Amino acid sequence: IAVIAMCLNAIALTLIFTKSRKAINQYRKLLVIFLICGIGFAILHLLTEPTCIVRENLFDLYASGWLTDMRFLCVYCGVVSMSFLILAMHYIYRAMVILNKATAIIEISNAMLLKIVVILIFDLIVWTILCVVFLSYRDVYEPTILRLTTDLTDFPTSDHGGRFMMFLGSVDDELNLPPFLAIFGMIIICGISLSTIVWSSVRIVTVLNDVQHRSSSWRKYNYQLFVALCLQFSGPLLLLYIPCIFYLMLPFVSGQGFRSPPWLLSLCYSLYPIVDPLVIIMFIREYRRGLINVLRRLVFLLSADDTTLVVSVS
């Protein structure tokens, strides 16, 4: 699945660089950053092959691939937050373009791109540090791990401190405060991005419905971009953020006996980098037409080769 995701992201990047119309030339810079993030996420997923379990008050994320160190898993989780922030920037830019009455294009300079990248890296570092410091193995967790994982045949039996990104929601029937505060901080970070997305969406829809000084083609095109952006956001929302928050908060709910399938969260995360390039390709007209034209040319060339072969044999 990760290989398919990387191929789809590469196709989307190619279309963005070769088929973007003038009106989207600046916005495509943000699309490129988002797709590069998706490729990085897919590579990390392929190399770590993460497995996540939630059982009663236990949360445990471990890697079964080539990279098993828990620090790579912490970076992996940081990329999830970073993708959310990138989408918030997409919404801000679309709102700025639509609210700007003087021009339909707002330039994203190299200096602005550098600031965006610095902000994204800072967000990634914050999430990674929170995971490394507060969601790491402690000796007091060992009895609970042994009690709740006896039925898992591929569960790591050694080096728990180096492999596990984990926590217990409660220790000795008391709230495990450090991981709770760390996760609460993570949710606040994502909440800021979500609030930005909601505010930008309201502004975009309001202007598109009320605007009188723009042509119908301008409104139609910007509606198209807004719908594509909303669908682009729905992929990570349903496959990353909601499952992630659910899994992280559930161990703090006392008395629940939930036992998650080990494959479930990993499956959701593996599908995420597939969904977004498909949305970009299929719902932005110039990219959809560009891909269709390329496929038509390939079919024509293959048909021409077959015809040539038949004639030469005859």
Side-chain angles (χ1 to χ4, degrees), residues 97-110:
V97 168
I98 290 174
L99 291 170
N100 194 320
K101 298 180 180 181
T103 178
I105 300 175
I106 295 179
E107 182 181 1
I108 302 177
S109 64
N110 291 335

Side-chain angles (χ1 to χ4, degrees), residues 124-144:
L124 173 64
I125 291 173
V126 169
W127 259 66
T128 302
I129 291 175
L130 286 174
C131 291
V132 170
V133 174
F134 296 103
L135 305 185
S136 57
Y137 172 84
R138 292 164 51 190
D139 291 337
V140 71
Y141 296 163
E142 188 66 26
T144 303

Side-chain angles (χ1 to χ4, degrees), residues 298-312:
L298 287 174
V299 171
F300 176 77
L301 289 174
L302 290 174
S303 301
D305 289 343
D306 291 341
T307 304
T308 303
L309 179 62
V310 171
V311 172
S312 61

Side-chain angles (χ1 to χ4, degrees), residues 42 79 87 120 153 158 214 217 221 239 249 276 285 290:
V79 176
L87 284 170
L120 294 175
T153 56
S158 61
R214 299 289 191 179
S217 60
Y221 183 68
L239 297 173
M249 293 305 298
D276 280 325
R285 184 176 54 191

Side-chain angles (χ1 to χ4, degrees), residues 167 180 183-184 187 244-253:
F167 66 90
F180 177 80
I183 292 168
F184 185 71
I187 294 175
C244 180
I245 296 300
F246 178 76
Y247 268 61
L248 286 173
M249 293 305 298
L250 198 59
F252 296 107
V253 179

Side-chain angles (χ1 to χ4, degrees), residues 12-23:
L13 280 172
T14 302
L15 292 170
I16 287 171
F17 281 117
T18 59
K19 302 298 180 181
S20 295
R21 58 191 285 185
K22 184 178 179 180

Side-chain angles (χ1 to χ4, degrees), residues 38 57 86 129 140 164 228 272 282:
N57 66 330
I86 295 172
I129 291 175
V140 71
F164 287 172
Y272 148 67
M282 300 309 298

